Amino acid sequence: MSKATKRLSAVAGAVVAAALLLSGCSNPSSGSPTGSASAGGEIKQADYNPQPRENLKEGGTLTTALAEISAQFNTFHADGTAYTLQVWRWYNPVLALFDADGTYHPNPDYLTDVKKDEVDGKTVVTYTINPKAEYNDGTPIDWKSFEATWKANNGEAADYAPSSTDGYVQIESVTQGENDRQAVVTFKGAYAWVDGLFNVLLNPEVKDANTFNTAYVEDPHAEWGAGPYTVDTYDKNNGTITFKRNDKWWGDKGLLDSRTFKALESSASINAFKNGEIDATSAGSQDRLAQVKDMNDISILRGATTSNTLMMLNSADPALGDLATRTAIMRGIDRSVIAKIKFQGLDYTEDLPGSFSQFGFQPGYKDNFSAADLGFDKDAAIKGLEDAGWVAGSDGIREKDGKKLSFQFTTLGDDPTSAAQAKAINSMLKEIGVDAAITNRPSSDFSKVYTNREFGMFLMGFSSSDPFGFAYFCQVYCSDSQLNLSGTGTAAWDAKIADLAKIGDADEQIAQGNEMEAEIFKETAGIMPLYNGPTIVAVKKGLANFGASLFFVGQPQNIGWEK
């Protein structure tokens, strides 16, 4: 589910219905999703009503729901989520624009040129910055912003808590170019994924670790932003944030009069859309789609998805500390049943996903989960538990050393599809003697549950905001990862992953990464990919540059309503 520097972000499992994640994917290849679109035929890879600015009118508002307005507004911070990134992009510099297929373009509002060279075996990228660009507090956007972003995210300063050091740790230096408005980024060697770095920037006024870690908590700091919109109001208690046009903006005027996010539970968000209170909502479950498909003056947008819904096991839980136990639990879950529950009524099918590094429609994708032999096998699951010393008790739940094989299965929100999936998993595990005790919490508790690891088992998502999945391999599998809180990483794997990141050829890194991912799945059994699924979005008719948009990232000022 994506993180800004954090190209992968954590999102609630209820993202299947409650959250509207506007990310995308790469060009189709083998493994593309199949099914029927709303008007018949195969599902498009992207469907977001792309329109040039001249076709849109000035004025109007846009309001959508999120599972939460995350307390941490710093998208670079470990506690930031995909929701943090969505909010961040509406009032902070967005330097990188992406087509739906993942093609990178520098945003001319901030960058007038990006030049990539290889010098003495090292990748060197020169960013020339728009001389008009400055933050709302008057600080110029210059090479110091690149330096500040690098230093906060390269892992060298132990007090910082970045969401990911991936890519930034490969940088040797960030220096001034011909003048203050040029940043020269030199890598330690060849680097394959430069288009995934410096897509968003940190204001250099965020000068130290304490500011980085704490200043943005429940405070968006509009003065440190820069963009066509700025914060108008933020109401923590009501879970809303609204943006207005920024009178300090130097580019094309924002088309919208205002843009609002509201934190709403799943049932509340679908009702809010039906009542005209919000302008778009996820329709990615049978229940939600049925409620909106016959509405007048709306469009149903359908496309592929760039997020993985997954099951995470917390190895710190006393019942789940043993690899053999976790392996048996994974083998006891029939993922195809979970996917069918999700896709029921959507006229959609897909192969079960096998990677957190690439999607099935991307060149080079491999089913690494199946290669790890963790697929559904009830008999193997039972034997694995028996071999691990778990003996069936009188109630059918296995025991060892006087303790039951029981743990907390935390679920979020009131979405009926998510509830049905949880019940199915609970039932499957009972058949092999495992008690996954369901504890339901509100969607707004997502960050709390996730960051505090208040679960034994948890369904959630990783959302990708660019197509360079292997660039963030460490973010998923390193022992100090703030994204994978299964706690199953090891120092030995950390070293191997660091060596993988040094491979400068993208194809070679993907090939070796696939082999490594299969081994990690087998040796850790901490996270299980469940499904990707379609992105289905219901929007009021006329909304443009917004919807099932794959990797598309456009200029915020060009989201609006058709004339």
Side-chain angles (χ1 to χ4, degrees):
M1 298 238 130
S2 129
K3 295 184 176 186
T5 314
K6 221 175 183 166
R7 283 301 156 227
L8 290 176
S9 299
V11 290
V15 67
V16 295
L20 185 62
L21 291 183
L22 306 178
S23 56
C25 44
S26 186
N27 290 322
S29 65
S30 61
S32 294
T34 60
S36 296
S38 55
E42 289 198 348
I43 287 177
K44 302 175 183 178
Q45 289 291 306
D47 191 10
Y48 60 99
N49 190 21
Q51 295 290 337
R53 184 179 172 90
E54 56 266 27
N55 289 359
L56 306 181
K57 65 182 180 182
E58 184 177 321
T61 64
L62 175 60
T63 302
T64 59
L66 288 177
E68 68 172 19
I69 306 297
S70 301
Q72 177 58 266
F73 280 90
N74 181 0
T75 195
F76 292 98
H77 193 273
D79 291 342
T81 67
Y83 314 122
T84 302
L85 175 57
Q86 286 192 68
V87 171
W88 177 275
R89 281 176 170 162
W90 278 90
Y91 73 105
N92 286 286
V94 177
L95 275 65
L97 306 177
F98 287 93
D99 296 338
D101 67 1
T103 303
Y104 165 88
H105 304 278
N107 186 344
D109 287 332
Y110 302 96
L111 297 170
T112 58
D113 186 57
V114 177
K115 181 182 178 184
K116 305 167 190 175
D117 297 296
E118 296 293 325
V119 181
D120 298 327
K122 299 179 180 181
T123 299
V124 178
V125 185
T126 302
Y127 299 88
T128 303
I129 303 158
N130 187 331
K132 297 179 181 178
E134 66 175 33
Y135 295 98
N136 296 332
D137 64 2
T139 303
I141 299 179
D142 60 18
W143 76 274
K144 294 176 184 176
S145 290
F146 286 76
E147 182 186 45
T149 301
W150 167 56
K151 287 185 174 180
N153 291 284
N154 64 12
E156 293 182 10
D159 292 340
Y160 284 81
S163 62
S164 171
T165 62
D166 293 329
Y168 291 101
V169 72
Q170 303 294 110
I171 294 173
E172 180 178 274
S173 66
V174 176
T175 58
Q176 178 181 328
E178 294 180 352
N179 53 50
D180 283 353
R181 296 288 184 157
Q182 193 172 75
V184 179
V185 177
T186 303
F187 290 79
K188 297 173 183 177
Y191 185 66
W193 315 108
V194 294
D195 289 344
L197 299 178
F198 301 105
N199 291 353
V200 291
L201 284 182
L202 195 65
N203 190 313
E205 289 300 304
V206 184
K207 295 177 179 178
D208 53 46
N210 182 62
T211 305
F212 179 88
N213 294 334
T214 66
Y216 281 100
V217 175
E218 296 181 346
D219 187 344
H221 278 287
E223 78 279 10
W224 291 342
Y229 297 95
T230 189
V231 178
D232 187 11
T233 60
Y234 165 54
D235 189 330
K236 178 184 73 172
N237 295 326
N238 289 327
T240 61
I241 187 167
T242 297
F243 301 95
K244 62 182 179 180
R245 293 190 187 95
N246 187 359
D247 58 13
K248 297 181 180 179
W249 177 241
W250 56 91
D252 287 337
K253 182 179 181 180
L255 292 172
L256 297 171
D257 293 326
S258 68
R259 179 13 171 163
T260 299
F261 290 98
K262 291 183 176 182
L264 295 174
E265 286 285 359
S266 175
S267 59
S269 66
I270 197 73
N271 288 330
F273 180 73
K274 290 161 63 178
N275 294 334
E277 298 167 23
I278 62 176
D279 301 304
T281 191
S282 168
S285 70
Q286 181 181 26
D287 174 67
R288 295 178 73 87
L289 183 59
Q291 291 191 60
V292 300
K293 66 179 182 180
D294 295 325
M295 290 178 62
N296 295 323
D297 298 322
I298 71 161
S299 299
I300 304 293
L301 308 177
R302 300 172 59 115
T305 249
T306 59
S307 60
N308 296 280
T309 296
L310 61 108
M311 183 271 287
M312 186 177 293
L313 295 174
N314 181 1
S315 64
D317 187 291
L320 298 170
D322 176 52
L323 172 61
T325 302
R326 296 194 304 274
T327 298
I329 287 171
M330 288 194 173
R331 286 175 172 162
I333 297 174
D334 188 344
R335 297 186 296 154
S336 67
V337 172
I338 308 307
K340 284 177 182 176
I341 293 171
K342 165 61 182 169
F343 303 146
Q344 185 175 1
L346 301 183
D347 195 15
Y348 176 88
T349 61
E350 68 178 20
D351 293 335
L352 291 172
S355 175
F356 289 116
S357 301
Q358 285 190 305
F359 299 99
F361 45 74
Q362 290 186 280
Y365 165 83
K366 292 258 181 97
D367 183 353
N368 301 321
F369 191 79
S370 293
D373 193 25
L374 289 170
F376 176 61
D377 187 333
K378 184 177 177 180
D379 292 338
I382 291 172
K383 185 177 185 304
L385 292 174
E386 290 173 346
D387 290 346
W390 293 101
V391 179
S394 59
D395 60 355
I397 303 302
R398 296 180 181 273
E399 301 177 0
K400 182 168 66 173
D401 300 328
K403 295 183 178 179
K404 288 186 176 293
L405 182 45
S406 177
F407 50 82
Q408 181 173 299
F409 181 7
T410 305
T411 64
L412 299 176
D414 59 3
D415 175 62
T417 299
S418 297
Q421 291 173 327
K423 289 177 182 177
I425 291 172
N426 174 274
S427 178
M428 291 175 199
L429 293 181
K430 276 190 177 178
E431 291 184 12
I432 63 171
V434 177
D435 177 32
I438 297 173
T439 301
N440 185 253
R441 309 251 311 251
S443 296
S444 56
D445 277 0
F446 168 65
S447 289
K448 185 184 298 184
V449 169
Y450 174 64
T451 58
N452 296 334
R453 298 174 76 182
E454 296 174 1
F455 61 90
M457 176 184 284
F458 191 42
L459 301 190
M460 55 172 292
F462 293 161
S463 178
S464 301
S465 59
D466 70 34
F468 315 119
F470 274 101
Y472 316 111
F473 202 78
C474 182
Q475 197 175 348
V476 177
Y477 296 113
C478 281
S479 61
D480 60 351
S481 168
Q482 298 296 319
L483 188 67
N484 174 7
L485 296 183
S486 69
T488 57
T490 67
W493 276 118
D494 290 350
K496 293 178 182 179
I497 292 168
D499 288 339
L500 178 71
K502 295 175 184 177
I503 298 174
D505 179 80
D507 292 337
E508 182 182 349
Q509 188 176 139
I510 289 170
Q512 292 195 29
N514 278 322
E515 294 180 9
M516 189 177 294
E517 187 172 43
E519 293 176 32
I520 292 175
F521 276 137
K522 189 170 186 175
E523 294 186 16
T524 62
I527 51 177
M528 168 190 278
L530 295 177
Y531 54 83
N532 302 130
T535 296
I536 304 178
V537 185
V539 303
K540 289 183 182 177
K541 194 158 286 185
L543 183 58
N545 301 319
F546 187 98
S549 52
L550 305 185
F551 284 124
F552 171 74
V553 176
Q555 293 168 305
Q557 63 264 40
N558 294 332
I559 294 175
W561 300 91
E562 291 181 88
K563 293 177 179 176

